[in-house]
Amino acid sequence: MIIVEAIEEIKKICKSSRDGRVIVPTMGALHEGHVALLDKAREFDQIFATLFVNPLQFNNLDDLNSYPKTLEEDIDIFDKNGVDVLFMPSKEGILNHDQIKTIDSGPAGDIWEGNFRPGHFDGVLTIVNRFFELIRPSKAIFGLKDIQQICLIHNKLSSAHNVEIIPVETQRNPLGLAYSSRNSLMTEDGKRKASIMFKALKAGKEYWKVSSNLLGVKEKVSEVLSSEPDFKLQYIEVKPLSDIAESGFSDLFKEVDLNHKVIMIAGSVEGIRLIDNIIINSNKY
Ligand code: PAF
């Protein structure tokens, strides 16, 4: 694996043909969810990964400063999982004002997560756009835990850069807690409590199957979540994918349509903010 830090060097390496070039963007603190993204990436010829904790997508300085950092372990995981080139730019290099173009996520970036994290998706799209410009991948892989993120990247960047966006299912621990870099900030007891999120999502999905009643789904999810007093709920959305996904949607989800509904929840345990979601009409995702 080659590790590249300089912008000019990554540009030079990426001048060659982009066929079969896949990118896996990350902020490090790798876990089983990232390993699943890298497993998918190995279906392609040239695997590029990025490791950059992007300050543009944090609307809270404490959250940025406490973001877990495990550089040596991360490099080892990238290497062992077949990454050919790891791009780890400096903040000054990648966020250079003369070269970076701000991408506006539009109205779909202001709802759900965006409502609670103003500017978050503009920050995500701005950095991913910069990676696409520099690395020129033909495919890019993202996890479905951040369902709004992947839909917005697909809406705003996929056709502009002619990059196929490939989703990978959310990976979960044996209790059902979605793997997230932030999990390492919780105790084992906290992780057990946080697993109420997936129990609630599954109960909501089951309720939908028997009732097709969206309001009832929300109530069901809320009821299950409230059985864990140490889970502090921020929001529950039960909305159609059309709220966050635009045309060309079927390129992203082969067996899901825009009318299908998502249950999206956010909340915290031990002060650590977590998100999770489930598509209630699909057996696949
Ligand atoms: O999902 C993430 O880890 C980040 O939002 C991403 C896509 C690497 C952009 O910084």
Side-chain angles (χ1 to χ4, degrees):
M1 180 173 81
I2 310 173
I3 299 182
V4 177
E5 294 181 11
I7 305 291
E8 288 313 315
E9 193 183 345
I10 197 78
K11 276 190 187 164
K12 207 189 291 168
I13 292 175
C14 294
K15 269 197 181 131
S16 60
S17 166
R18 64 198 281 271
D19 287 352
R21 182 179 303 150
V22 65
I23 183 175
V24 180
T26 82
M27 297 205 296
L30 301 185
H31 49 70
E32 284 84 339
H34 293 110
V35 171
L37 305 183
L38 295 170
D39 285 346
K40 182 74 190 166
R42 283 198 302 282
E43 292 176 16
F44 306 100
D45 294 340
Q46 308 173 42
I47 309 182
F48 281 63
T50 64
L51 193 171
F52 179 65
V53 183
N54 172 28
L56 302 178
Q57 70 190 75
F58 287 83
N59 49 323
N60 171 331
L61 201 59
D62 286 344
D63 192 22
L64 171 63
N65 292 336
S66 63
Y67 199 80
K69 289 168 195 72
T70 54
L71 184 60
E72 275 171 31
E73 290 93 322
D74 290 347
I75 291 177
D76 196 44
I77 295 173
F78 283 125
D79 193 21
K80 290 202 168 106
N81 282 279
V83 170
D84 297 300
V85 180
L86 173 61
F87 181 45
M88 295 199 317
S90 68
K91 198 165 80 183
E92 297 68 32
I94 194 83
L95 301 183
N96 184 317
H97 288 305
D98 300 334
Q99 285 159 23
I100 196 152
K101 180 171 146 212
T102 302
I103 307 292
D104 181 352
S105 56
D110 292 336
I111 57 174
W112 304 15
E113 269 297 274
N115 190 25
F116 291 87
R117 303 186 69 187
H120 168 70
F121 290 114
D122 295 354
V124 170
L125 292 180
T126 299
I127 201 73
V128 174
N129 183 64
R130 188 75 184 120
F131 290 142
F132 284 2
E133 279 173 357
L134 292 169
I135 295 179
R136 301 173 55 249
S138 58
K139 326 254 176 218
I141 301 181
F142 299 89
L144 277 176
K145 183 172 73 67
D146 298 297
I147 192 164
Q148 192 172 2
Q149 163 172 289
I150 193 170
C151 287
L152 291 170
I153 290 171
H154 183 258
N155 295 347
K156 300 284 175 190
L157 304 179
S158 171
S159 50
H161 293 274
N162 192 16
V163 176
E164 182 190 353
I165 309 298
I166 302 175
V168 169
E169 253 176 273
T170 303
Q171 305 296 304
R172 303 180 179 282
N173 77 5
L175 294 176
L177 175 65
Y179 287 114
S180 159
S181 302
R182 294 171 202 271
N183 292 0
S184 65
L185 302 172
M186 282 185 290
T187 63
E188 287 309 309
D189 189 43
K191 288 184 210 167
R192 189 189 52 73
K193 289 173 175 164
S195 67
I196 196 68
M197 296 174 81
F198 189 51
K199 292 190 186 85
L201 291 171
K202 279 195 301 190
K205 185 164 176 156
E206 283 309 308
Y207 190 86
W208 168 259
K209 279 191 193 151
V210 295
S211 72
S212 298
N213 167 359
L214 280 187
L215 203 62
V217 169
K218 197 165 179 173
E219 282 166 11
K220 186 69 184 171
V221 173
S222 166
E223 179 193 312
V224 176
L225 289 173
S226 59
S227 70
E228 176 46 73
D230 290 333
F231 176 78
K232 308 291 173 216
L233 178 66
Q234 193 172 49
Y235 69 82
I236 307 171
E237 295 280 9
V238 187
K239 294 276 172 59
L241 277 157
S242 55
D243 276 14
I244 52 166
E246 288 172 6
S247 59
F249 173 79
S250 55
D251 302 345
L252 188 55
F253 295 105
K254 307 272 181 289
E255 292 166 27
V256 178
D257 78 49
L258 278 175
N259 294 315
H260 285 175
K261 314 286 185 290
V262 185
I263 312 174
M264 169 85 205
I265 53 186
S268 58
V269 171
E270 297 177 342
I272 305 305
R273 189 173 183 278
L274 303 163
I275 60 171
D276 202 352
N277 71 81
I278 202 165
I279 301 178
I280 57 182
N281 310 72
S282 156
N283 287 327
K284 185 170 174 201
Y285 299 106

